[in-house]
Amino acid sequence: MNSLKDRATNIAQEATKMGKNVYQSPSTVKETTPKPELQKNCPKVVTLEEAIRRSGLKDGMTISFHHHFRGGDKVVNMVVDKLAEMGFKNLHLAASSLQDVHEPLIEHIRNGVISRISTSGLRGKLATAISKGLMNEPVVFRSHGGRGSAILNDDLHIDVAFLGASSSDPLGNACGYSRSENAKSICGSLGYALPDARHADRVVILTDDLVAYPNTPNAISESDVDFVVEVDSVGDSSKIASGAIRDTKNPRDILLAQLAAKVIINSGYFKDGFSIQTGSGGASLAAVKYIRESMIRQGIKAGFALGGITAHMVKMHEEGLIERLIDVQSFDKVAAESLKNNPMHKEVAANEYAAADEPGSATHYLDIVILSALEVDVNFNVNVLVGSDGIIRGAIGGHPDTAADSALSIIVCPLLRGRIPCVVDEVTTLITPGSSVDVIVTEYGIAVNPKRPEIAERLRQAGLNIVNINDLKKRAEKIIGKAAPLPFGEKVVGVVMNRDGSVLDVIKNIRS
């Protein structure tokens, strides 16, 4: 005989060898409730307060957020208000970026709820207050690729991530769009939330559209999610394309965009299969429109467009001019809808987008990037974070990541903004080292880094106005004179990290 009973001794022996128990009949009864009904009582679906309590969050820990709703975000304020109500103190807020809408954080900093901040950028009254010395600890600024690396390397350890999603099922399969009839919000790619979802100790999804399982395709997997919280609204989609993300009508920006397009077309990189990214400034975004006609005329197609994807790029993809879209952040609702509907529109995590130590990051394969700047200096260094008044008013974003990895980096910058020179002896704050910058485009001429003489020669042959960057600085000074020194204090209010994890610069407080 070879029955189960006869094999019992052998089963016990093998279990002992493996350090395992022998199977015993379960005492529980099989769950036979229809599964759609069972979803309604999924243990992951809880209130925000319950999610916070069950997450194990304690004073001094790190909480994280993403900024894909930009000026329309509602999650940061909602969660931090609740944390304040529950009595938490001394928390480290690690957001991918912070916007004007996050002004209420000022009071939470004053009350001790938030004692540290890590981010890519700050704007509005929050940025002004921090620039003037609001916080005891300096804000740590990282690029998007740098933040992705820091999370993966545990330099930035996240205890609890609070991530807004346009839709989620009860198990936590979530994304930045919804296919249901009850859809309320859309932000598109959740690229900056993905490292948090994959590596935080606890992950809380907040959604205003709880849909039936399975919510597919999804950006965030249920296996990474601990709790799901249904709220009235996670964000206002109409405010995604706000602030620096705009379709410019400014004549100077249009001129700069046209010049940048001419640089691209005559650079030697404008060939079939080239890849491109544009930054968030109006001129850099508009430049894509002006290379379109040359692409059609010359029969050139781009292999992919990268980064913050816009409606212009979606249109060119649909026309067959751009083969693929690689999206870490959807810059408008058209791009967000395209991500939902288009299989050639790919969503990527921040580290997959731009991390220096990620072998397969998309920026390593980027030909051309067009970026904006608050200031550039005679050594081609770039500042995109601190204004000419010493106030933090921007974001690092992917600026240093894309400039370093691209074959050709183009900075679009006016010579003057009002009565302020944008080409200076030395930038107020170093964000992107000049070694990464190839071309600076102004309305008074184009400066090419001396390290790229072949680019300068190609542009001269195309009839473009190539000038020495020192001459641009002198021209600015001749028009408006030298700017007075800023009244910086001695307190360090910000630390700028290089994308490799080293400290690049510091920001000191500005005296009123």
Side-chain angles (χ1 to χ4, degrees), residues 197-444:
R198 293 169 184 169
H199 297 280
D201 290 346
R202 293 287 183 271
V203 175
V204 180
I205 296 295
L206 295 92
T207 186
D208 51 21
D209 190 13
L210 190 64
V211 300
Y213 173 87
N215 185 28
T216 57
N218 54 276
I220 296 173
S221 170
E222 63 183 79
S223 61
D224 293 322
V225 176
D226 298 284
F227 305 104
V228 177
V229 177
E230 188 174 15
V231 298
D232 291 335
S233 177
V234 291
D236 182 348
S237 303
S238 69
K239 295 182 179 179
I240 296 174
S242 62
I245 310 301
R246 67 194 189 281
D247 193 357
T248 185
K249 295 181 180 178
N250 183 308
R252 184 185 64 189
D253 283 352
I254 291 172
L255 172 61
L256 291 171
Q258 291 170 335
L259 289 172
K262 290 178 181 179
V263 170
I264 292 170
I265 292 164
N266 295 285
S267 66
Y269 293 97
F270 189 62
K271 300 177 180 179
D272 207 41
F274 79 99
S275 52
I276 188 168
Q277 175 172 338
T278 60
S280 60
S284 57
L285 286 171
V288 174
K289 292 190 293 184
Y290 296 107
I291 67 170
R292 175 178 171 273
E293 290 183 6
S294 290
M295 292 176 72
I296 294 171
R297 185 168 59 251
Q298 297 183 39
I300 290 175
K301 294 181 180 180
F304 67 83
L306 174 64
I309 299 301
T310 66
H312 298 311
M313 292 177 176
V314 170
K315 178 182 177 183
M316 291 172 69
H317 170 65
E318 291 173 346
E319 292 174 329
L321 297 175
I322 300 174
E323 292 183 5
R324 292 171 175 81
L325 303 175
I326 302 178
D327 194 344
V328 72
Q329 180 177 27
S330 305
F331 273 173
D332 51 48
K333 289 181 73 173
V334 172
E337 290 285 352
S338 172
L339 181 66
K340 178 176 73 172
N341 298 320
N342 187 346
M344 303 301 280
H345 190 156
K346 174 180 171 63
E347 184 173 18
V348 291
N351 56 297
E352 297 165 332
Y353 158 56
D357 53 0
E358 178 80 45
S361 68
T363 54
H364 293 332
Y365 303 95
L366 179 64
D367 286 309
I368 301 165
V369 65
I370 317 164
L371 300 163
S372 59
L374 293 175
E375 292 176 322
V376 298
D377 69 22
V378 295
N379 294 309
F380 287 79
N381 298 311
V382 181
N383 167 31
V384 293
L385 186 61
V386 178
S388 57
D389 55 0
I391 301 294
I392 300 165
R393 59 178 68 256
I396 298 175
H399 203 288
D401 303 314
T402 53
D405 285 348
S406 61
L408 178 67
S409 59
I410 302 168
I411 309 299
V412 180
C413 181
L415 188 68
L416 309 169
R417 282 192 179 89
R419 300 291 297 171
I420 303 299
C422 297
V423 182
V424 296
D425 273 319
E426 186 177 90
V427 289
T428 304
T429 306
L430 176 59
I431 301 300
T432 300
S435 58
S436 299
V437 174
D438 299 309
V439 179
I440 294 173
V441 176
T442 78
E443 70 272 43
Y444 289 93

Side-chain angles (χ1 to χ4, degrees), residues 10-87:
N10 301 108
I11 292 170
Q13 290 171 344
E14 296 304 319
T16 300
K17 289 179 186 178
M18 298 174 69
K20 302 292 184 181
N21 295 323
V22 174
Y23 169 78
Q24 302 292 330
S25 297
S27 57
T28 55
V29 178
K30 180 179 178 178
E31 178 61 71
T32 58
T33 304
K35 301 308 180 181
E37 294 181 23
L38 199 63
Q39 285 187 47
K40 297 175 184 178
N41 298 309
C42 177
K44 283 189 177 182
V45 180
V46 296
T47 65
L48 178 56
E49 182 167 336
E50 186 177 357
I52 292 168
R53 293 193 187 283
R54 291 174 57 183
S55 72
L57 185 67
K58 297 178 181 178
D59 291 352
M61 285 187 169
T62 298
I63 56 176
S64 77
F65 303 87
H66 70 74
H67 74 291
H68 288 287
F69 282 101
R70 300 185 63 81
D73 175 67
K74 297 181 181 180
V75 172
V76 172
N77 293 338
M78 181 194 313
V79 171
V80 179
D81 283 350
K82 177 59 69 173
L83 293 170
E85 178 187 310
M86 295 173 69

Side-chain angles (χ1 to χ4, degrees), residues 448-470:
V448 180
N449 194 317
K451 295 179 179 179
R452 302 300 304 272
E454 79 285 6
I455 299 295
E457 182 58 30
R458 290 168 192 159
L459 299 184
R460 283 194 191 96
Q461 289 181 5
L464 295 175
N465 180 24
I466 306 304
V467 298
N468 186 290
I469 194 165
N470 288 282

